[in-house]
Amino acid sequence: MSLFPRILIAALLWLAAPFAASGAAQAQSGPQRTERIEAELVPMSAWAAPGSTAILAVKQTIQPGWHTYWRNPGDSGGPTTLRWTTPQGVRPGDIVWPLPERQRLSGLMNYGYSGEVWLPVPVEIPATAQAGTTLPLTVKALFFVCSAEMCVPDELTLGLDLPVREGAAPPDPRHGAAIARVLETAPRPAGIEARVALEDGVLVLTAAGGPLAGRDPGPSYFFPFEGGVVSHPAPQTGAWGPQGLSLRLQPGGATRADGLSGPVEGVLATAHGAFEIRAEPGAALAGTSGSGDLAAAPDGGASAAAARTGPAAFVHAVLFAILGGVILNLMPCVFPILAMKAAALAASAHDARHARRDGLAFLAGVLTTFLLLAGVLLALRAAGEAVGWGFQLQSPPVTAGLALLMLAVALNLSGVFHVGAGLQGTGSGPLARLPGGLGAFFTGALAVVVAAPCTAPFMAFALGAALLMPWPMALMVFLGLGLGFALPYVAVSLTPGLLARLPRPGPWMERLKGLMAFPLYATALWLAWVFSRQAGADALGLLFVAAVLLALGLWLTGGAQTERMAGRRGLLHLTAGLAALALAGGALALAARAPAPAAGDPAATQAPRAAPWSPAAVEAALAEDRPVLVNFTADWCVTCKINERTSLTSPGVAAAMARAHAVYLVGDWTRRDDAITAELRRHGRSGVPLYLLYSPGSAEPRVLPQLLTEGVVIDALKDAGS
């Protein structure tokens, strides 16, 4: 079998994994397994006494190259979750989490486990339990298992018949000692007082008392319970003193956005043990510095992190990126850019040398811009930001600037002003753009900026993998995406036979030039609409003022060009045009700085019966045995809007949702939302759209296609309802 079919089969298996996970078998005692992990529900003691607390554990045996996650997975992944079914009166508690490994991966940091690990759980046994009987215990364990190629949610149903006896029970001969060691070393409170403060952009965590007093704590590291509080991959430095230690931490995205909104909880790991702490906001504690600097804590889990950067994953990601880039040309958001490509290609169609030059220059512009966007994306993620593909359009100033840029290009194509060699005669010279290869380069750059918010089939896997790779490999994946995106245009420009079929230059080119302006006018209006959703009506009004001043300034500039062509200096037109452009820049700055409107209810702007997405909303609906359709969308995602118009808000879908008694939730990613970014990442995506359909009784949702039809949604709702 050739390489491509193997990659395609691997992708299909990856997409099918969540569905396979939902079909777990009935509970059975003993180990249960998938290709990636073996799990078993095991006791610490040989039996449980009535009225006692028994300790059970979910034992994981994880295959080499794979790993699972801690309660806070870090920059990717998801924690193990347990859903219990027990006899009446039996009450399982929370997982006692062992100290995780630190799994550094280029600019990311994950917290998790590899190899063999036990997750102990205390279980209260009722006093009414009868000695001589057994208690049938069942747990559905959902493991988020990741390797170099993919992340798969594996659900296993584990069972244990726990004997009930009177008196103290001896340790279980197979697992008792191992579980006892985990309990002895697991982090727990130890009378440590802690404070945290945000000082000059740095989180200063101080801890004193208890086991920290009177000795060098050695290499120390803080594992936060919640994501977004600190930057996971950033180094943690500090000092120690006679009463404890102090750590300097880089704040995470949530802390930078909202500041310290309350206590910071987590695990402080030292050379003498790991301890749960709760740091209240406040000034640094006395005696936590002055005795020396803390030694750096070494990273753990190197083998698991390294496995995720293997050559197979890299090759798969690059090939999928090229294929996804080619398909990206067919996505709706790229249609305006096709107009720019067509205009540029028509101008040089019958000059093979110029056509080759423009094709290669267009490719260079695409690749350069993909590298720049990817570099910014990777740098932001390394700094702890929760961002994804298309992140640039989550910034209102960028959206407003792009709207005015599209308007300027459209006015250029309409003949209001000219860039390059003055006024151009019909059929001669470049087509209302920068001349030659420079124009083709910037056409490619602009195409990427506008097309980047879209995602296409195969792109999700490639981008998701790239964001988990070391940065040189990740940049190669993004280059593959750019190569695929530019490939059709470059192939035509390098094929004389295809170029010869195009009409020769003539008056039709001027008409084509004017016609091609209108998709760009439409794009400018769309971007203005996105900006209005981000920044509000007042900011949109200022953007309209900037647009009028921009058009006036460019019209006056065009008049100055006409004056110079007639032998006059045209200083009056030029001066007035520059003044109008300066005023347009000022209006744009005011629009970008306008205060954002208060967040509204997505139900007001989405489908009539939509509600805002949150994990709690999903859980509440499932608790009522109702299917849940989740739409992760953004106003700047044209594919999302088309799907919503054609496949999510039609009368047929509304009727299917009513029959299934389904709940419709919308996760709006128009402005940056760290919770939505984390959920996208949990499902292997780095951009929208993403459509999830949860069914009652299934732990993991069904992932619907990125390109929806009404029939696909109705059939999925029927399956979920049944």
Side-chain angles (χ1 to χ4, degrees), residues 28-427:
Q28 296 181 6
S29 59
Q32 305 297 310
R33 60 183 60 84
T34 68
E35 296 177 356
R36 297 158 289 276
I37 187 172
E38 176 183 288
E40 184 178 6
L41 184 60
V42 298
M44 187 174 78
S45 302
W47 65 76
S52 67
T53 298
I55 302 295
L56 307 183
V58 174
K59 178 190 176 186
Q60 305 174 45
T61 304
I62 307 164
Q63 292 296 313
W66 297 83
H67 59 274
T68 58
Y69 292 92
W70 188 53
R71 58 184 294 178
N72 171 14
D75 290 326
S76 63
T80 297
T81 58
L82 305 178
R83 295 173 59 189
W84 291 87
T85 301
T86 62
Q88 186 176 4
V90 176
R91 294 187 178 87
D94 296 329
I95 296 172
V96 179
W97 295 93
L99 188 69
E101 301 168 349
R102 290 192 292 139
Q103 301 164 340
R104 181 174 293 278
L105 180 62
S106 184
L108 304 180
M109 176 70 79
N110 296 327
Y111 303 143
Y113 309 103
S114 58
E116 196 170 61
V117 63
W118 285 262
L119 299 183
V121 177
V123 178
E124 293 182 12
I125 308 300
T128 56
Q130 295 295 317
T133 62
T134 59
L135 297 174
L137 307 176
T138 302
V139 63
K140 284 188 176 181
L142 179 61
F143 308 99
F144 205 77
V145 193
C146 289
S147 74
E149 286 78 16
M150 63 186 72
C151 288
V152 179
D154 276 334
E155 185 180 80
L156 294 174
T157 303
L158 312 176
L160 174 67
D161 291 329
L162 182 64
V164 179
R165 303 284 189 272
E166 295 287 357
D172 179 83
R174 294 178 55 216
H175 308 288
I179 298 173
R181 284 195 298 271
V182 171
L183 291 174
E184 290 170 1
T185 58
R188 65 191 64 208
I192 296 174
E193 184 182 6
R195 296 287 185 274
V196 64
L198 189 59
E199 301 176 359
D200 299 326
V202 176
L203 275 178
V204 179
L205 174 71
T206 56
L212 300 179
R215 56 179 175 177
D216 181 356
S220 301
Y221 188 88
F222 178 68
F223 295 88
F225 284 159
E226 301 292 336
V229 177
V230 306
S231 173
H232 302 122
Q236 299 186 5
T237 60
W240 66 282
Q243 296 300 318
L245 60 83
S246 61
L247 284 172
R248 295 178 62 82
L249 315 172
Q250 293 299 317
T255 303
R256 286 197 299 274
D258 304 327
L260 277 176
S261 56
V264 174
E265 296 180 286
V267 170
L268 179 62
T270 73
H272 307 296
F275 315 102
E276 291 186 2
I277 62 172
R278 176 186 174 94
E280 299 286 348
L285 296 171
T288 56
S289 61
S291 298
D293 294 333
L294 287 175
D299 289 352
S303 60
R308 302 171 71 183
T309 64
F314 175 63
V315 172
H316 290 182
V318 170
L319 292 178
F320 273 48
I322 294 174
L323 183 58
V326 173
I327 299 175
L328 185 60
N329 286 279
L330 305 178
M331 304 304 287
C333 56
V334 188
F335 287 166
I337 304 306
L338 296 180
M340 299 169 62
K341 292 183 179 181
L345 190 61
S348 57
H350 293 275
D351 187 329
R353 184 174 64 85
H354 287 169
R356 287 194 300 271
R357 176 202 64 195
D358 288 358
L360 295 176
F362 179 84
L363 174 63
V366 167
L367 296 182
T368 300
T369 310
F370 262 108
L371 279 180
L372 289 174
L373 284 176
V376 173
L377 175 60
L378 294 172
L380 288 174
R381 290 179 70 92
E385 295 281 359
V387 295
W389 192 239
F391 69 96
Q392 67 276 12
L393 288 190
Q394 293 176 323
S395 168
V398 173
T399 305
L402 280 176
L404 295 187
L405 178 60
M406 285 296 163
L407 176 61
V409 175
L411 291 171
N412 181 224
L413 290 174
S414 295
V416 173
F417 74 105
H418 301 274
V419 178
L423 291 170
Q424 300 150 350
T426 299

Side-chain angles (χ1 to χ4, degrees), residues 491-712:
V492 173
S493 69
L494 298 179
T495 308
L498 293 176
L499 292 172
R501 295 176 181 272
L502 296 176
R504 290 193 171 276
W508 68 272
M509 293 179 64
E510 285 296 315
R511 292 193 292 272
L512 176 65
K513 178 182 70 172
L515 180 63
M516 292 298 98
F518 287 94
L520 298 179
Y521 285 125
T523 303
L525 288 174
W526 164 63
L527 288 168
W529 173 73
V530 172
F531 178 74
S532 72
R533 295 292 304 276
Q534 295 173 327
D538 293 343
L540 179 63
L542 290 170
L543 181 62
F544 284 160
V545 171
V548 171
L549 290 171
L550 174 68
L552 175 62
L554 294 178
W555 178 76
L556 290 169
T557 301
Q561 292 175 327
T562 303
E563 291 282 309
R564 288 198 300 273
M565 290 295 292
R568 295 185 290 272
R569 300 180 64 183
L571 285 179
L572 180 61
H573 284 82
L574 182 60
T575 302
L578 292 176
L581 292 176
L583 291 173
L588 174 62
L590 290 175
R593 296 177 58 185
D601 185 352
T605 54
Q606 301 292 337
R609 286 173 288 183
W613 169 86
S614 69
V618 173
E619 293 177 3
L622 292 176
E624 298 175 356
D625 287 332
R626 301 180 66 183
V628 183
L629 177 61
V630 182
N631 170 19
F632 291 105
T633 182
D635 289 336
W636 39 259
C637 171
V638 178
T639 304
C640 304
K641 297 294 119 181
I642 291 177
N643 283 337
E644 288 163 14
R645 295 287 187 272
T646 62
S647 306
L648 291 174
T649 60
S650 68
V653 170
M657 292 189 67
R659 287 192 299 269
H661 198 47
V663 175
Y664 180 41
L665 302 179
V666 174
D668 190 349
W669 209 44
T670 302
R671 294 180 70 90
R672 199 179 78 192
D673 186 306
D674 289 353
I676 294 177
T677 304
E679 188 70 9
L680 293 173
R681 189 188 306 159
R682 195 173 79 84
H683 293 283
R685 300 293 177 87
S686 61
V688 290
L690 173 64
Y691 306 106
L692 304 177
L693 183 59
Y694 292 82
S695 299
S698 296
E700 283 299 304
R702 174 179 175 182
V703 181
L704 301 184
Q706 288 178 299
L707 297 178
L708 293 177
T709 65
E710 184 182 47
V712 166

Side-chain angles (χ1 to χ4, degrees), residues 417-492:
F417 74 105
H418 301 274
V419 178
L423 291 170
Q424 300 150 350
T426 299
S428 64
L431 191 60
R433 57 181 176 85
L434 288 172
L438 185 60
F441 179 91
F442 283 106
T443 299
L446 190 58
V448 173
V449 172
V450 176
C454 277
T455 59
F458 299 100
M459 276 183 63
F461 172 79
L463 294 176
L467 295 177
L468 295 177
M469 291 179 175
W471 68 265
M473 300 170 73
L475 292 182
M476 290 299 295
V477 173
F478 282 102
L479 281 177
L481 185 60
L483 177 62
F485 181 61
L487 197 57
Y489 180 88
V490 175
V492 173

